[in-house]
Amino acid sequence: MVVTAAVKAIRKISILVIDDDSVEHHLVHRYLGITDGWEPELTFATSGAVALRILERRPVEIVLLDYHLGGENGLNLLTKIRDVVPSSAIIMMTGQGDEELAAEAMKAGAMDYLPKGQLTPEGLQRAILKAAEERDLRRKVAEQQKLLENLARHDELTGLYNRRALLEALSSEAARARRYEGSLCLLMLDIDHFKNVNDTHGHIAGDVALAASAKVIADNIRDTDIAGRYGGEEFCIILPESDISSARRIAQRIHKNIAENSFAGPGGEEFRVTCSIGVAEYIRKLEDAQGLLERADRALYQAKEDGRNRISFS
């Protein structure tokens, strides 16, 4: 019987060494020659220009940056590196210890500061591992923050913008249309008799219908358009740089595709939904976002008054 031993995964850490002294390159290579539980992937650059070209092609986890780099200032290069690859952890190195320089480096974005004269293999490896761990932690925090921001701006059921984000976007687009005399249209959409859907087929079936209708909306607008759940079974669609004729086409397409969807209730019974849509075109220099919203809402109300399952214009 063949027994296969479990192989522990070796963590690879990509490192760019920026130093114009080849002796220092060899020293770093030797100091990182034997590591415990991780493996350095080293790349070397002798100038800031070369380093930036490397980083533009292939970002790395750790940058070991010499403060004295020929005629270049290490702090200036540090700032440039942060602009190109903000995710890289930078460790500043210099020939002598200088607390003031260390403070400047940390303020400029370095994660650590190492005097070359006091450098040991253990100290360099410890600094790299610490920087890599902190980089990973910062990335996780940033990803979590981004996720929370996304959740704060999007409706959980439909994935579209929520009411608050929608109104902010409408205000911004109306201001842009006013400033640059651009066109702007707004659609207000309501699922017809939605209370009956919930009462007849249950709230889960109602949620399925809402999510599917939201997907129809998202699939039938441009990347520059903005759609959101205004509340309950009501949606709002912002169409920047669109006149009333293009807004009409989009509204007709959404109206048709929502009606063509079919859903299954908890007992397997099939049901469909229709929608009513109100369309309003922004009147340049004569109204704000609230005025446009109110006219689209009046058009939606008119569509419902006229029997639902139709499109009305304001």
Side-chain angles (χ1 to χ4, degrees):
M1 183 176 65
V2 177
V3 178
T4 303
V7 178
K8 183 180 179 181
I10 299 296
R11 164 75 191 276
K12 295 182 182 293
I13 300 179
S14 56
I15 304 168
L16 173 63
V17 182
I18 310 174
D19 197 312
D20 59 354
D21 188 343
S22 59
V23 174
E24 297 296 336
H25 291 191
H26 291 299
L27 184 65
V28 170
H29 193 279
R30 182 160 60 86
Y31 278 6
L32 299 180
I34 301 177
T35 55
D36 182 19
W38 63 284
E39 179 181 332
E41 296 182 331
L42 292 169
T43 305
F44 297 92
T46 56
S47 71
V50 171
L52 291 173
R53 285 199 296 273
I54 292 172
L55 292 171
E56 286 171 355
R57 294 195 307 269
R58 183 175 59 85
V60 299
E61 295 178 68
I62 308 295
V63 174
L64 296 178
L65 172 61
D66 184 21
Y67 177 75
H68 297 289
L69 196 62
E72 297 178 84
N73 182 295
L75 291 178
N76 292 338
L77 181 56
L78 189 155
T79 302
K80 293 178 182 178
I81 293 172
R82 298 292 298 163
D83 290 339
V84 173
V85 279
S87 62
S88 293
I90 303 173
I91 299 174
M92 180 71 79
M93 303 177 68
T94 187
Q96 57 186 8
D98 187 326
E99 291 186 4
E100 185 176 340
L101 177 57
E104 289 181 5
M106 301 294 276
K107 186 177 179 180
M111 200 168 283
D112 206 344
Y113 173 84
L114 298 176
K116 290 182 179 179
Q118 303 171 23
L119 201 60
T120 64
E122 295 78 12
L124 178 58
Q125 293 182 27
R126 186 167 53 248
I128 289 172
L129 287 175
K130 178 183 175 183
E133 289 173 359
E134 188 164 338
R135 172 188 175 274
D136 290 344
L137 178 60
R138 289 184 181 182
R139 185 173 57 186
K140 289 177 182 177
V141 169
E143 289 173 353
Q144 187 67 24
Q145 183 64 31
K146 186 177 180 180
L147 176 61
L148 292 174
E149 290 173 358
N150 184 67
L151 290 174
R153 294 181 61 79
H154 288 78
D155 175 63
E156 184 177 3
L157 175 63
T158 65
L160 301 180
Y161 272 13
N162 59 26
R163 184 188 182 104
R164 177 180 176 182
L166 195 58
L167 292 177
E168 288 176 357
L170 180 60
S171 178
S172 176
E173 292 300 334
R176 182 179 291 110
R178 183 168 58 250
R179 185 180 306 116
Y180 299 109
E181 299 187 355
S183 56
L184 173 67
C185 285
L186 181 66
L187 276 57
M188 294 290 289
L189 182 153
D190 186 82
I191 304 298
D192 296 327
H193 303 294
F194 190 71
K195 183 178 184 302
N196 292 342
V197 174
N198 283 334
D199 292 344
T200 304
H201 304 287
H203 288 277
I204 293 178
D207 285 350
V208 170
L210 281 176
S213 298
K215 186 176 187 309
V216 168
I217 292 171
D219 288 345
N220 285 278
I221 60 177
R222 305 165 302 178
D223 291 341
T224 53
D225 298 331
I226 302 161
R229 188 179 180 190
Y230 191 65
E233 66 274 16
E234 198 168 42
F235 298 89
C236 184
I237 306 157
I238 305 168
L239 306 174
E241 298 301 327
S242 294
D243 57 18
I244 198 70
S245 61
S246 59
R248 182 193 302 271
R249 289 193 297 272
I250 292 173
Q252 290 172 338
R253 194 161 61 237
I254 291 172
H255 181 266
K256 175 177 179 291
N257 289 340
I258 285 179
E260 289 176 348
N261 264 340
S262 63
F263 311 97
E269 68 280 8
E270 185 177 293
F271 71 95
R272 296 175 184 269
V273 297
T274 61
C275 68
S276 300
I277 303 177
V279 183
E281 184 175 24
Y282 177 67
I283 303 174
R284 280 175 254 173
K285 299 183 179 179
L286 295 181
E287 66 180 351
D288 55 11
Q290 184 61 33
L292 178 60
L293 184 64
E294 289 173 357
R295 284 199 300 111
D297 193 50
R298 286 198 299 270
L300 173 60
Y301 179 80
Q302 189 61 52
K304 293 158 101 175
E305 282 290 295
D306 290 342
R308 292 184 168 85
N309 191 20
R310 65 194 64 231
I311 302 169
S312 181
F313 298 83
S314 171

